[in-house]
Amino acid sequence: MIVALDGTVLVVAQPSMRRDLGATVAQVQWTSTAYLLTVAAFLVVAGRLGDRYGHPRLAVIGVLGFAAASAGIALAPGVGWVIALRAAQGLFGALLQPATLALLRLAYPPDRLGTPVAIRTSAIGVAAAAGPLLGGLLVAHLGWRSVFVVNVPIALVIAALILAVRVREPERTGAGRPPLGSAALLVAAVAALVHALAGVPAYGWTAPPTLIGLGGAAGLAVLLVRWERRAAHPLVPAAVARSVPVMASMALLLTASGGLSGALFTATFLLQDVRGLGAFDTAVRLLPLTAVMVAGAPLAGIAQRRFGARRIALVGTGLVALGIAGLCTESLTGAGGAVLGAGFAAVMVTATGTVVGDAPPGYAGVIGGLKQTATNVGPALGIALAAGAGAGAWAGAGDGAAGAAAAGGTTPALLTLAALAAAGLLPASLLPGRPRGAAAGDLVGEDAGRRGERAPAAHRPADRERR
């Protein structure tokens, strides 16, 4: 929740930050890009460290480091310090995020994961919605530095709660040497991919920086796969890499988060740069989408237990695609936003529940890191696709004929994003269904007689039947 709040608050604070520090637009953009690069690159590594050294310990280090970096940004004398500290903040955020999912897996048996996952999804939605509103008030009355100061007391409270709550941890994995080679290749590959995607709005898909970045990421990914196959202790264990439900869930999260983020990027550009609305008014216009997402998450958890992950994921994916396509109207709000929010809540709850519940014993952190990586790379992909289809190119069009043309120009971008979301129907169809007469725990691949001690998901006969 604190990570989601920080990210959305920053959007409102950046214009004031630029004026106060005398920064360029490119430098201000790097205050977001530096964070995105480090958090996306280190998530899986952080999850592996949590599996090895303990998730409560990693969570406390992550949240305290996040607070320290926030305090440093509030005192930063120049934009260079802000960029460097935002990168550090991303590193500590990477330590924190997989740990929270792993702690849920340790605290709840798989048949009871639906409710806590739904609450987590709702909390993220509330934070994302409150961020622009809170940021607008803080910047208006206390200045941009105050949006980072507010992180400090929240982080201290979270650290105290983690230390106060004791959960039983399974036997830690990875007794051998940490897989440094795999970790380095993964960090480099994800960083190259995210950097290339983040540059698409400025350079386009066919520019040399984009092509070099994407080619470099692909080459590093090939090297990573070959390295992992030969490693005695791979970063991503074979039981995880071969689990169809886990891999399908992450593909689904990537397409859904990409579609949603790209749609919000498109809507924000149109509402602010064409229609002249402020950040606060834009946030208010988009509140119905977030409200439905927050309210829909608990309902999605209930529906998953009754109908199974596959059905709910298919319905949710379809709603995301329809909702994005429904935004191709002059208002960019209303029914399309509500449908999009409902569908995204269903996808997040079912995919996250499947990922965490299907984690082989001792690897919840790695899977949590993979899940968070998908939801961080997805937005970069969605925004890149939106920009490539024309979103944002008409900034400053204003009202009148140019503004009307710009409003009409959102349609190709939104339809492209709807197609991206619809591509998630294939991985959604690979999620576990509910076998006839199965117990609730079977929805996430659990043998009811051996909670927390089952064999890896890819090796269980029940899973093969569901696929």
Side-chain angles (χ1 to χ4, degrees):
M1 185 172 180
I2 187 175
V3 175
L5 181 66
D6 177 82
T8 54
V9 163
L10 179 64
V11 174
V12 180
Q14 283 177 329
S16 178
M17 178 195 300
R18 182 179 66 82
R19 292 189 296 268
D20 183 44
L21 299 178
T24 65
V25 174
Q27 287 174 323
V28 171
Q29 178 62 32
W30 265 101
T31 64
S32 295
T33 303
Y35 176 88
L36 180 62
L37 280 173
T38 52
V39 74
F42 285 96
L43 280 166
V44 178
V45 177
R48 189 72 171 89
L49 291 174
D51 290 332
R52 180 179 174 85
Y53 298 110
H55 297 292
R57 181 181 302 175
L58 266 290
V60 170
I61 294 173
V63 74
L64 291 180
F66 195 90
S70 298
I73 294 171
L75 301 172
V79 69
W81 282 97
V82 174
I83 293 172
L85 288 168
R86 281 288 289 170
Q89 199 177 40
L91 176 60
F92 288 112
L95 294 177
L96 178 63
Q97 293 182 60
T100 59
L101 286 172
L103 289 173
L104 285 181
R105 179 66 181 85
L106 296 173
Y108 295 92
D111 59 312
R112 294 174 54 199
L113 270 174
T115 299
V117 167
I119 292 173
R120 180 181 184 272
T121 302
S122 295
I124 292 173
V126 169
L133 303 177
L134 177 61
L137 293 174
L138 289 173
V139 171
H141 294 91
L142 299 174
W144 67 269
R145 297 178 188 271
S146 62
V147 304
F148 295 98
V149 174
V150 76
N151 287 336
V152 177
I154 297 174
L156 293 177
V157 171
I158 294 173
L161 291 174
I162 295 173
L163 292 172
V165 176
R166 299 291 181 182
V167 295
R168 182 185 63 82
E169 292 198 56
E171 182 180 351
R172 292 171 188 173
T173 60
R177 187 175 58 183
L180 299 180
S182 296
L185 287 171
L186 177 63
V187 168
V190 175
L193 175 61
V194 174
H195 186 271
L197 292 175
V200 169
Y203 302 114
W205 283 100
T206 58
T210 302
L211 296 177
I212 292 172
L214 294 177
L220 289 167
V222 171
L223 288 176
L224 174 63
V225 171
R226 297 183 64 180
W227 186 287
E228 285 277 273
R229 286 178 175 175
R230 296 195 301 264
H233 299 282
L235 181 65
V236 180
V240 174
R242 295 171 183 169
S243 172
V244 173
V246 170
M247 294 296 110
S249 295
M250 279 180 287
L252 176 58
L253 288 168
L254 187 146
T255 57
S257 62
L260 174 67
S261 296
L264 292 177
F265 171 84
T266 303
T268 300
F269 257 106
L270 181 62
L271 293 174
Q272 292 192 18
D273 289 343
V274 176
R275 298 184 182 164
L277 296 181
F280 184 86
D281 291 333
T282 299
V284 171
R285 292 284 292 272
L286 296 174
L287 271 180
L289 182 154
T290 309
V292 173
M293 185 175 73
V294 171
L299 297 177
I302 296 171
Q304 179 186 355
R305 288 195 298 271
R306 180 168 183 177
F307 300 107
R310 183 187 304 145
R311 292 182 182 178
I312 302 306
L314 286 170
V315 171
T317 302
L319 290 177
V320 170
L322 290 174
I324 295 173
L327 292 177
C328 299
T329 63
E330 188 175 351
S331 64
L332 284 173
T333 55
V339 171
L340 174 56
F344 190 74
V347 169
M348 279 292 292
V349 171
T350 54
T352 302
T354 300
V355 165
V356 179
D358 217 73
Y363 294 112
V366 170
I367 287 185
L370 288 170
K371 180 263 176 187
Q372 293 298 133
T373 300
T375 54
N376 277 272
V377 174
L381 175 61
I383 291 172
L385 288 174
W394 20 260
D399 296 327
T410 63
T411 299
L414 291 172
L415 291 180
T416 300
L417 295 165
L420 172 65
L425 290 170
L426 176 59
S429 67
L430 300 177
L431 296 188
R434 184 184 184 187
R436 185 173 301 175
D442 292 333
L443 296 181
V444 288
E446 181 192 23
D447 181 347
R450 299 178 61 201
R451 286 180 183 163
E453 301 178 357
R454 64 196 187 286
H459 301 159
R460 296 196 309 276
D463 279 350
R464 288 196 295 270
E465 291 175 5
R466 274 172 264 168
R467 295 172 201 154

